[in-house]
Amino acid sequence: MTSRPTVVLGIETSCDETGVSLIRARPDSQAVAGVHGEILSQALHSQVALHAAYGGVVPELASRDHILRLTPLTQTVLAEAGLAWSDVSAIGYTAGPGLAGALLVGAATAHGLGFATGRPVMPIHHLEGHLLSPLLDPNAAGLRFPFLALLVSGGHTQIMRVDGLGHYTLLGETIDDAAGEAFDKSAQLLGLGYPGGPAISLWATRGEASRFKLPRPLLKRADLDFSFAGLKTAVLTHVQALQRDHALDDQAKADLAAGVQAAIVEVLVAKCKKAIQDEHASALVVAGGVGANRLLRHELGEMAKPLGVQVCFPAPELCTDNGVMIAWAAALRLARGDAAQAAGAFTVLPRWPLSELTK
Ligand code: KG4
Ligand code: ZN
């Protein structure tokens, strides 16, 4: 990296959030990855309202909405940062994994902008964005490689070891539903709305978690894998029994919501504890939308305290999908000397295992 700061535009469109951001990166020998990042501006459009009526993300609607939002959001971040295209060094975009159509919109826009402005483009792995985003958080200033990461979103539940840029080892993951999916599907069964995580945690505040017996799948197993599909089935069984007895009232819904949240959090915390012990880790970072859950944050903190382990929860806007993490990952790769691409032909990778990423 030259000593000159680099300004990178980041574009995220892998699912139902359109995120655009500008980051300024400069060399910093004190920083964990040798780079200091500063968020110049960020803009995010959530499609939650668009998909709410369908109880989940409708891929075609997502793609169309990304098309509508991307150009205005890009103009917004440039204006907010007070920058022109001549100040921008490169464009990073999410190339996968995610919804194919949604990814294509981001990739085509990035390459189109790159072609028009003569700026190089850098395809970024969405999960690498999540894994590296904690390094931007001022609250995580002391964080050093290696650290453990719990990635909990609507599509992923993974525990990883992060040894450095591009060096990610999968330690455990869900064998069926993701944790966010378990929140969303349970909320749907209870008629609590979409997205389910915030709804379940709100209803849980009025509920008694111990009233209904719910499974803790794979809790006792020695590995770090998860399984949440059985939880959804157990919720369905309780809901059907309550409906038969005309007893699915608000208190029963709140009690089931509390039970679901307790079950998911207990399993996530137990597996994180095991990972910390197995890896002799000194830090754990949490990324992904479920990382916004207050009970999870509290319980992870309580678990880690006696172990002397630092737990980093990035600000909620860096936990969920955003353009900042994509700009930041691109900036780190550029700083390391990874070659950016000339704008032009492109492809997206809806299924892209992190293990296939360039080291
Ligand atoms: O990372 P994210 O914004 O998008 C991806 O899936 O990539 O995560 C969304 C997921 C949804 O399943 C949502 O229900 C869950 O995160 N979520 C929560 C909370 N806020 C969002 N789950 C539990 N508690 C929350 N407070
Ligand atoms: Zn994500």
Side-chain angles (χ1 to χ4, degrees), residues 126 130 153 321 325:
H126 179 80
H130 274 304
S153 68
D321 290 351
M325 67 185 194

Side-chain angles (χ1 to χ4, degrees), residues 126 130 153-155 180-181 183-184 195-198 201 288-290 292-293 319-321:
H126 179 80
H130 274 304
S153 68
E181 211 176 340
F183 274 109
D184 293 338
S201 53
V290 182
N293 185 273
C319 262
T320 51
D321 290 351

Side-chain angles (χ1 to χ4, degrees), residues 309-335:
V309 167
Q310 178 190 7
V311 187
C312 304
F313 303 103
E317 68 269 22
L318 285 185
C319 262
T320 51
D321 290 351
N322 61 80
V324 173
M325 67 185 194
I326 302 305
W328 175 231
L332 288 175
R333 285 194 167 265
L334 288 166

Side-chain angles (χ1 to χ4, degrees), residues 182-205:
F183 274 109
D184 293 338
K185 288 179 175 171
S186 300
Q188 200 174 11
L189 290 169
L190 290 167
L192 304 184
Y194 171 84
I200 292 263
S201 53
L202 184 65
W203 279 75
T205 56

Side-chain angles (χ1 to χ4, degrees), residues 115-127:
F115 196 70
T117 60
R119 297 294 177 267
V121 292
M122 174 71 84
I124 293 297
H125 193 292
H126 179 80
L127 297 185

